[in-house]
Amino acid sequence: MSHAHDRLLIIDFGSQVTQLIARRLRELNVYCEIHPFQTVTDEFLEQFAPKAVVLSGGPASVIDDGSPRPPERVFDLGVPILGICYGQQVMMQMLGGRVERGEGTAEFGRAYVAPSKDLDLLDGWFAEDREQVWMSHGDHVAEIAPGFEVFATSSGAPYAITADPDRHFYAVQFHPEVHHTPKGAKLYENFVRLAGFTGDWTMAYYREDAIERIRDQVGDAKVICALSGGVDSSVAAALIHEAVGDQLTCVFVDHGLLRLNEAEEVVGMFRDHMNLQVIHAEEQDRFLGELDGVSDPETKRKIIGRLFIDVFQKHADEIEGARFLAQGTLYPDVIESVSFSGGPSVTIKSHHNVGGLPEKMGLKLVEPLRELFKDEVRALGRELGLPDKFIGRHPFPGPGLAIRCPGEITRDKLDILRKADAVYIDQIRKHGLYDEIWQAFVAILPVRTVGVMGDGRTYDYACALRAVTSVDGMTADYYPFTHEFLGETATRIINEVKGINRVTYDITSKPPGTIEWE
Ligand code: XMP
């Protein structure tokens, strides 16, 4: 049953926005995969058997020797092809047209295209006599390939939209997948419709299919899973449990750096409500003991990462017959990206994960979310009946409150932080802002400040509120709360949380800041 659904292939030439193409297509219930051009060979095409192909944009110039190409074979598959930006140019060049590096024809940013002829790809697209699109190109097509005709133009691109309608080859100079091409989704909708996709990629379908695949893979062996209560591990656990029931045991590592009532909520939900076998590993003393006196952020992260693996392994070893480790790996982690720079990037923070553990323990991986984007995981979670409270949660980092407590970590500070964070999140929920915000939390600062409450002097901690908007955590902006909201929240925290007498709001974006404080 696996792969019974229709598949669309996106050949990646290294555009920054290739993932958005996949997002737009998945929103149309079309199953697609992104593969870098280097890996797309004739054999690959044969085996993948796409029902349609999209050629992405990319930073290279088709004029240059050795610039990326798809295999010639792609044009002989007899399936519709959509070339975007670089994909358009490579298509023209390979099919007999010509691309030039233009003097004065580069376009970056907003542009308008006007239709010159009807085309099935453009059905319902032009409400008026022009449409806004997002361009980003230096080169341009100077001569279109035989069989192609022009269907729309822009001031800098006489060949903004061209097509060979008989072969269903479409070529657009702009990026229909980005937000700044407001009606771009319509173009993809038309493309997949005329390619014959039926929209069979739904989460109800995925659930059934994934359950069968998990059963096939696991057989009657045992599976272990590090459950954090975050959406990925929660959905993975719920899905695997549905597939193999009590063959799954989850380990919830309580490192003492969790939020208020978090352990009770997660364990209660999965153990008592959903009947999963959950080991609640209460290891607060071990973690907090080793962190005692440590204030360097990377050292904290390393200690927590190492202990997490130790603790998980200790509990997992007690589960006899465990042969698989479940992980909530998502599609964005799996996509091989096209790298032109080739250089290593600097480590800003060492992220905490259980990588390396499977080999050490001789375990195989079960990764039932590998094909999904985050919002699909949420949709699957809903399909599996997980409460919204789990599905819509803000991300929470593996090292937990340790990285929201700059400087030394003490139990006292953690308690204060937990209380302040709970008040802040309560405020955000009460004002109906939770779902607008990517992530919100309090950081307790390593300074105490003087204040006056009643008639007395106070000398307590200062804290910082953080709230950001983001789409993927890679870049972020601070959330523009009203002054009323900030004032009310500061008053509540100072009144309700003993130990804090000053509240600040962090208005740093990422970059230059990061989301977490450490
Ligand atoms: P930064 O602070 O790097 O965070 O801007 C980006 C996103 O990643 C989360 N984060 C982590 N998540 N383990 C995780 O699972 C980690 O070690 C870790 N560090 C940061 C952070 O909360 C934000 O969502």
Side-chain angles (χ1 to χ4, degrees):
M1 174 155 174
S2 181
H3 297 324
H5 43 264
D6 296 328
R7 289 139 69 85
L8 186 147
L9 171 65
I10 300 168
I11 303 182
D12 184 23
F13 295 105
S15 158
Q16 301 284 323
V17 290
T18 303
Q19 280 203 30
L20 290 180
I21 305 175
R23 294 292 324 113
R24 295 289 92 80
L25 293 166
R26 296 280 182 99
E27 280 158 18
L28 297 164
N29 298 334
V30 166
Y31 182 74
C32 58
E33 285 182 17
I34 299 174
H35 291 272
F37 71 93
Q38 301 97 321
T39 62
V40 179
T41 57
D42 289 1
E43 302 77 70
F44 175 88
L45 287 174
E46 187 84 17
Q47 177 247 320
F48 192 92
K51 202 181 174 78
V53 175
V54 174
L55 307 176
S56 87
S61 167
V62 294
I63 303 165
D64 294 341
D65 287 343
S67 55
R69 296 275 186 277
E72 298 268 357
R73 173 99 186 92
V74 79
F75 300 109
D76 300 328
L77 294 173
V79 301
I81 299 180
L82 174 63
I84 293 163
C85 198
Y86 181 84
Q88 170 228 28
Q89 295 172 2
V90 88
M91 192 163 164
M92 283 304 142
Q93 189 91 349
M94 288 177 74
L95 294 174
R98 195 163 47 82
V99 174
E100 277 178 359
R101 191 157 301 156
E103 285 288 305
T105 52
E107 286 175 297
F108 292 95
R110 186 177 291 119
Y112 293 90
V113 294
S116 47
K117 218 170 163 185
D118 283 346
L119 178 68
D120 46 10
L121 185 76
L122 304 177
D123 279 351
W125 203 48
F126 286 101
E128 295 169 26
D129 56 0
R130 62 176 202 168
E131 256 315 319
Q132 183 187 315
V133 298
W134 192 256
M135 296 274 193
S136 178
H137 66 103
D139 297 349
H140 66 274
V141 174
E143 201 180 298
I144 51 178
F148 277 75
E149 293 173 64
V150 181
F151 293 90
T153 55
S154 75
S155 58
Y159 302 127
I161 302 176
T162 63
D164 176 342
D166 290 342
R167 289 193 283 177
H168 289 307
F169 288 176
Y170 304 92
V172 300
Q173 180 58 75
F174 53 90
H175 287 274
E177 62 277 12
V178 304
H179 181 70
H180 296 91
T181 300
K183 283 177 72 182
K186 184 74 190 161
L187 226 137
Y188 285 109
E189 190 185 321
N190 289 341
F191 180 67
V192 298
R193 180 178 41 76
L194 59 88
F197 284 90
T198 53
D200 59 0
W201 175 252
T202 60
M203 281 307 124
Y205 169 86
Y206 185 81
R207 171 187 183 172
E208 297 306 316
D209 188 42
I211 286 172
E212 267 190 49
R213 281 190 278 160
I214 295 166
R215 286 184 183 147
D216 279 353
Q217 186 190 1
V218 168
D220 53 14
K222 293 228 169 87
V223 185
I224 50 177
C225 173
L227 179 70
S228 70
V231 62
D232 305 341
S233 66
S234 297
V235 173
L239 185 66
I240 295 170
H241 183 248
E242 199 164 301
V244 298
D246 279 353
Q247 284 165 251
L248 171 73
T249 306
C250 296
V251 181
F252 177 78
V253 178
D254 189 340
H255 47 25
L257 300 159
L258 298 168
R259 291 165 290 189
L260 198 65
N261 304 327
E262 185 156 19
E264 294 72 20
E265 281 174 18
V266 175
V267 175
M269 160 81 200
F270 284 91
R271 189 194 277 165
D272 306 333
H273 193 70
M274 294 179 66
N275 291 321
L276 268 73
Q277 304 194 78
V278 182
I279 296 174
H280 183 175
E282 300 224 40
E283 301 278 357
Q284 297 92 322
D285 290 345
R286 192 159 167 208
F287 280 87
L288 298 181
E290 291 219 20
L291 287 167
D292 192 30
V294 176
S295 55
D296 175 65
E298 274 301 287
T299 314
K300 283 183 187 173
R301 281 174 174 274
K302 296 249 158 70
I303 292 173
I304 295 168
R306 172 173 54 76
L307 286 182
F308 191 94
I309 289 179
D310 275 5
V311 164
F312 182 73
Q313 187 166 4
K314 179 181 92 184
H315 291 277
D317 282 344
E318 288 164 13
I319 302 159
E320 219 173 294
R323 293 214 341 256
F324 291 92
L325 174 72
Q327 271 184 358
T329 315
L330 304 192
Y331 192 47
D333 306 322
V334 175
I335 300 174
E336 268 181 82
S337 55
V338 174
S339 163
F340 286 95
S341 68
S345 52
V346 287
T347 304
I348 307 289
K349 302 176 181 187
S350 45
H351 271 222
H352 150 119
N353 62 45
V354 286
L357 197 63
E359 299 91 75
K360 205 166 152 201
M361 295 179 69
L363 297 172
K364 296 203 184 85
L365 284 177
V366 188
E367 298 179 301
L369 312 179
R370 269 178 83 86
E371 290 161 331
L372 305 184
F373 284 99
K374 191 84 171 187
D375 50 346
E376 291 175 312
V377 173
R378 295 205 168 100
L380 179 62
R382 263 177 230 115
E383 184 70 38
L384 289 163
L386 287 176
D388 278 342
K389 191 160 183 224
F390 278 86
I391 290 165
R393 273 178 146 204
H394 290 171
F396 186 63
L401 301 182
I403 57 174
R404 297 177 177 177
C405 191
E408 282 186 32
I409 300 166
T410 64
R411 285 175 193 262
D412 182 37
K413 277 202 241 170
L414 289 173
D415 281 339
I416 296 171
L417 173 55
R418 267 189 271 271
K419 286 181 193 142
D421 192 73
V423 173
Y424 180 42
I425 298 298
D426 182 57
Q427 276 287 100
I428 288 174
R429 286 198 188 276
K430 276 200 176 126
H431 283 75
L433 302 173
Y434 191 83
D435 294 336
E436 275 180 43
I437 294 170
W438 162 268
Q439 206 168 358
F441 56 87
V442 176
I444 184 163
L445 305 185
V447 273
R448 295 209 280 167
T449 71
V450 173
V452 51
M453 279 176 92
D455 289 327
R457 175 188 192 265
T458 60
Y459 186 54
D460 285 331
Y461 287 107
C463 73
L465 312 180
R466 183 81 165 132
V468 296
T469 54
S470 177
V471 280
D472 53 13
M474 303 296 286
T475 58
D477 204 356
Y478 75 89
Y479 186 79
F481 286 124
T482 61
H483 284 282
E484 289 71 26
F485 174 89
L486 289 171
E488 189 183 298
T489 306
T491 305
R492 267 196 69 190
I493 290 176
I494 290 167
N495 285 345
E496 295 174 33
V497 183
K498 194 165 173 323
I500 288 185
N501 69 353
R502 194 173 296 263
V503 176
T504 65
Y505 186 47
D506 176 358
I507 54 166
T508 321
S509 61
K510 172 183 179 175
T514 56
I515 296 176
E516 302 290 347
W517 272 52
E518 286 191 338

